[in-house]
Amino acid sequence: MALRYRLRRILSGRFGATDRRAPLVLQLQERRSLTATYLLWALAFVGLCGIQRFYTRRPFSGALLLLTFGGCGLGQLVDLFLVPRLVRSANRIEGPTALPLDRQLLELARLRGEAGFTLNDALLDLEHQEPVPIEPVRQEIERLLFAHLLDVGNDERGRIIYREP
């Protein structure tokens, strides 16, 4: 996981420190835009059908639409209504990129370094398909504190922060 993240940083040109304000989801996976997808769908009017499928991480159906001129136009017409679903599906976090809650909290602590993170930061940065309830996050932080995997302290404003020991 860490190696893949470092490689992505190198390939994207970010050799220095990571952007500590960006959520983990955005650091691990590039998000797809609904507006950009519709603009790519509109390229069908100039003969490039199926480009929106490549953008939404569906290369096989994109190639099929590209080679069949949008399924004789029917596939492109259907995609007009499917674009929001394609974008949601492309942005969904699944499989190997979705880490367990404890791993995500430890990764967040490592990314934030000495500055640490607050409970609010954790709730905003966790990668899940739906909003994360506060209690499981709080319980997991307490478990990590008890296991000496996190330290607790205060920042200059007096907020409770968690960081790596």
Side-chain angles (χ1 to χ4, degrees):
M1 175 65 176
L3 178 63
R4 180 176 46 183
Y5 177 70
R6 286 186 195 130
L7 286 174
R8 179 168 284 205
R9 270 187 30 214
I10 290 169
L11 293 175
S12 67
R14 291 183 297 170
F15 296 101
T18 62
D19 182 8
R20 297 185 192 284
R21 294 168 297 164
L24 287 174
V25 174
L26 295 178
Q27 293 175 1
L28 296 174
Q29 177 181 357
E30 185 181 334
R31 307 284 292 173
R32 300 301 189 219
S33 162
L34 185 63
T35 305
T37 308
Y38 273 120
L39 289 173
L40 291 172
W41 175 88
L43 287 176
F45 292 117
V46 294
L48 290 173
C49 301
I51 304 300
Q52 74 278 1
R53 291 285 182 141
F54 289 103
Y55 179 70
T56 56
R57 298 184 176 97
R58 296 181 180 261
F60 297 114
S61 61
L64 183 66
L65 287 176
L66 187 63
L67 295 174
T68 61
F69 299 106
C72 296
L74 292 176
Q76 280 298 118
L77 184 62
V78 169
D79 267 6
L80 176 64
F81 302 103
L82 290 182
V83 162
R85 185 183 304 168
L86 291 171
V87 171
R88 275 194 310 272
S89 174
N91 289 336
R92 187 172 298 129
I93 304 298
E94 296 179 336
T97 60
L99 296 173
L101 183 58
D102 58 346
R103 295 285 191 149
Q104 290 183 56
L105 290 169
L106 292 173
E107 180 76 19
L108 180 60
R110 178 157 293 166
L111 286 173
R112 297 293 173 100
E114 278 300 311
F117 68 92
T118 64
L119 182 60
N120 290 346
D121 294 333
L123 291 172
L124 293 173
D125 287 351
L126 293 175
E127 35 176 289
H128 283 279
Q129 296 172 15
E130 62 274 344
V132 181
I134 192 169
E135 274 311 306
V137 175
R138 185 176 282 146
Q139 290 171 358
E140 191 61 36
I141 288 175
E142 288 176 12
R143 188 185 71 74
L144 292 170
L145 286 168
F146 184 73
H148 303 290
L149 296 172
L150 284 179
D151 276 343
V152 66
N154 295 89
D155 64 1
E156 65 280 350
R157 293 175 31 193
R159 297 179 303 172
I160 298 173
I161 59 167
Y162 306 97
R163 60 173 79 100
E164 266 191 313

